Amino acid sequence: MKGGTEIQKDRSIIADERFREDALTKNTWELVLKMGLPLAFYEMLNSLYKILDSLMASHINASSVSTVAYLAQISILISAVGQGLSVGGGLKISEAYGAGDYTLVRRRVSSLFALSGLLALFVLLLIPAAPLILAGAGTPKELIEMGVPYFQIELVGLAVVFMNNTYISIERARGNTKRIFRLNMIVTVLKLLLTAFFVYALNGTITMISVASIISQSVLLIIGIKNMISNQSAFRFSVKNIRMNKEILIPILLISFPVIVERIAFSAGKVIVNAMCGVYGALTVGALGISNTVTGIFANAQSGIQSGGAALISQNMGGKKTERVPDILKKIVLVNLMIGITGTILCYLGADTVSTIYASSSEGLDETFRQIIHGIFLYDSAGTIISWGISASVEAFLYGIGKTKMILFINLCRLFLFRIFFLWILQRYTSLGSECAGIVMMVSNNLTAVLSCILGAYELRVFCRKNEIG
């Protein structure tokens, strides 16, 4: 193996070599399920984590759940840089891994982790500016007073999550998706126990919900650092392998930059949509956040399949096994469609239950809030889960072959043309109320799926011709 002679052959590197061989030769159904399902469950747990968070917030009052739902979008916006860097860096690590260049793997792993540390430090420096950030994001005035201390603590958590995202992307690149799932189980259970204790036992505010997140994510960071420095594999972090030069950083940044811009634009777009929906009142903003969170259980599972599939495609690209890529893509599409159909049915059947649970608090059932949630949720369910799975499958292929600029274009269209512009039309030319928030989600996600299919089919045809695949 190129670059592999310098590495001690302990258990870790033997396992890495075995998985690399499997990724390039084994049955694609087995590989897609082996890589994707643990990540799908990982993403579903993250969604469940958010749902229970918001449910516990709703126990406090409706304003609390609306604050948590609204500020979550701003947090996602800030974390977009770290997410984009970890996705792009992970793909370049997968590529080097598939090619068997273990020296390059070590350098990319160490450099990516160091770069994430610098970004985490920058996030911590934003804490004093929290009030300005919330005001600049168009946060309703009634939510700012309650939201500032919550958001300041949330920034500390985001710095930790920056590092954790990078660690997770490295484990994903080496095929350790079961480890990712196990670690996330630990974090989720700890987070929920702490949140329940703070909210129900101590009658805490939403600020304590953020404290629970920091504690649980810090546990993952400690475990991650231990795993990255305690073995001799190609994926081990070491200071001597950090290379802040153009040979290492430029390939990572080139593939990451469109992903970063796409994630920032997507998150910024959601913040803009929330601000536009603010004309219907803070409860509509909270209801939209709740709807997105619940449908996200299934949409995020599809994103997990996407992540595993993209890494698998990237590994096969690095290993010059391009003929396997179309077959991997077909399996990703089929799995995501099954998740999408199942999720849509379950959401429709559970709409009444979801809206009632979220509208109930220690102050009783808020019937107005329940009706708003129910109306938005039905539209959102119809347009999110199946269409999101189609788009995610196409993007897995585009990520895997390095076409991140195409993904940027697709998601810019989703946000600014299909979503924000369409919402503006609804608000300007119709008399519809809060249901606009759900309608615009349905329309934008379905149109994005159509656009993804058109562009994905074109790129697949070009790919097959270039690589002489029949």
Side-chain angles (χ1 to χ4, degrees):
M1 300 281 180
K2 182 179 177 182
T5 56
E6 302 173 9
I7 305 175
Q8 179 184 345
K9 295 292 183 96
D10 68 355
R11 291 180 181 178
S12 297
I13 195 167
I14 291 172
D16 289 338
E17 290 174 343
R18 186 182 299 117
F19 179 78
R20 174 181 174 273
E21 184 65 24
D22 289 346
L24 303 180
T25 59
K26 271 198 170 184
N27 177 273
T28 53
W29 262 122
E30 180 181 347
L31 290 169
V32 168
L33 295 176
K34 181 179 179 180
M35 285 282 286
L37 286 183
L39 291 175
F41 286 121
Y42 164 74
E43 295 292 352
M44 289 180 78
L45 277 172
N46 279 339
S47 297
L48 178 62
Y49 168 105
K50 293 174 185 175
I51 286 174
L52 293 174
D53 247 12
S54 55
L55 280 174
M56 292 180 196
S58 70
H59 176 76
I60 301 171
N61 52 49
S63 295
S64 292
V65 72
S66 294
T67 301
V68 171
Y70 191 94
L71 297 188
Q73 300 305 327
I74 302 175
S75 297
I76 292 170
L77 172 61
I78 295 173
S79 67
V81 176
Q83 289 177 345
L85 183 65
S86 65
V87 169
L91 290 172
K92 297 309 292 184
I93 292 168
S94 291
E95 184 184 277
Y97 179 37
D101 191 342
Y102 285 6
T103 297
L104 183 59
V105 170
R106 285 184 296 170
R107 290 176 178 173
R108 285 180 174 172
V109 164
S110 298
S111 302
L112 180 63
F113 205 69
L115 195 56
S116 296
L118 293 176
L119 287 172
L121 179 60
F122 174 76
V123 170
L124 293 176
L125 296 176
L126 294 177
I127 292 175
L132 294 177
I133 294 172
L134 297 187
T139 306
K141 289 183 179 179
E142 61 266 35
L143 300 184
I144 289 181
E145 183 178 351
M146 182 185 297
V148 167
Y150 171 83
F151 186 63
Q152 288 176 324
I153 297 175
E154 189 77 359
L155 287 172
V156 178
L158 284 176
V160 178
V161 170
F162 263 37
M163 303 298 293
N164 287 343
N165 283 342
T166 299
Y167 169 65
I168 293 298
S169 73
I170 292 168
E171 292 287 10
R172 183 168 57 237
R174 70 193 298 191
N176 265 347
T177 53
K178 290 183 179 178
R179 173 179 285 179
I180 294 172
F181 176 69
R182 288 195 302 269
L183 291 176
N184 195 60
M185 278 292 294
I186 294 172
V187 171
T188 301
V189 171
L190 179 59
K191 156 69 176 172
L192 295 177
L193 289 175
L194 287 172
T195 302
F197 176 71
F198 291 149
V199 171
Y200 297 113
L202 300 183
N203 294 317
T205 64
I206 59 171
T207 303
M208 298 306 295
I209 295 176
S210 194
V211 171
S213 295
I214 294 174
I215 295 172
S216 58
Q217 288 291 335
S218 296
V219 170
L220 175 57
L221 179 61
I222 292 169
I223 295 173
I225 291 174
K226 178 179 179 295
N227 287 341
M228 287 190 64
I229 64 176
S230 63
N231 63 68
Q232 297 298 319
S233 80
F235 295 86
R236 181 178 186 269
F237 171 82
S238 65
V239 175
K240 70 177 183 180
N241 281 314
I242 296 175
R243 297 288 190 280
M244 294 298 181
N245 54 38
K246 63 180 182 180
E247 288 78 13
I248 297 298
L249 292 184
I250 294 301
I252 292 176
L253 294 177
L254 283 177
I255 195 171
S256 297
F257 184 72
V259 183
I260 292 171
V261 174
E262 178 253 318
R263 298 292 171 98
I264 290 176
F266 189 74
S267 300
K270 294 187 81 170
V271 172
I272 293 171
V273 169
N274 279 343
M276 292 175 71
C277 289
V279 300
Y280 305 116
L283 292 184
T284 297
V285 176
L288 178 59
I290 289 165
S291 179
N292 290 164
T293 300
V294 177
T295 57
I297 293 177
F298 303 99
N300 288 338
Q302 293 164 327
S303 296
I305 299 294
Q306 176 203 74
S307 297
L312 193 57
I313 290 171
S314 185
Q315 288 160 2
N316 278 268
M317 292 289 291
K320 309 300 181 186
K321 294 285 187 175
T322 54
E323 72 280 1
R324 289 165 55 83
V325 170
D327 193 45
I328 294 171
L329 172 60
K330 181 171 70 175
K331 305 301 168 47
I332 295 170
V333 171
L334 291 173
V335 173
N336 272 342
L337 280 177
M338 287 188 284
I339 295 173
I341 293 169
T342 303
T344 300
I345 293 172
L346 291 175
C347 283
Y348 263 85
L349 293 176
D352 287 334
T353 302
V354 167
S355 57
T356 300
I357 290 174
Y358 271 104
S360 300
S361 70
S362 56
E363 300 172 358
L365 176 66
D366 187 329
E367 180 59 27
T368 301
F369 194 30
R370 190 200 70 79
Q371 291 178 6
I372 294 172
I373 296 170
H374 190 273
I376 292 174
F377 184 64
L378 286 179
Y379 283 115
D380 193 10
S381 300
T384 294
I385 308 171
I386 294 176
S387 58
W388 188 278
I390 293 170
S391 300
S393 301
V394 173
E395 290 180 10
F397 167 63
L398 296 176
Y399 273 128
I401 65 174
K403 295 286 184 176
T404 52
K405 291 180 181 178
M406 184 70 73
I407 297 171
L408 170 61
F409 174 75
I410 290 171
N411 284 300
L412 287 178
C413 288
R414 183 203 301 268
L415 260 296
F416 295 102
L417 180 61
F418 303 151
R419 190 166 295 177
I420 293 173
F421 180 64
F422 183 65
L423 180 57
W424 179 80
I425 290 175
L426 290 178
Q427 291 183 332
R428 187 176 180 86
Y429 297 106
T430 75
S431 59
L432 293 170
S434 60
E435 64 267 31
C436 284
I439 292 171
V440 79
M441 296 300 293
M442 178 180 69
V443 172
S444 63
N445 286 325
N446 278 309
L447 289 177
T448 302
V450 173
L451 178 62
S452 297
C453 287
I454 293 170
L455 297 179
Y458 170 77
E459 288 294 341
L460 180 60
R461 185 178 180 184
V462 171
F463 177 84
C464 290
R465 283 183 175 179
K466 180 180 178 181
N467 293 282
E468 300 180 347
I469 301 171

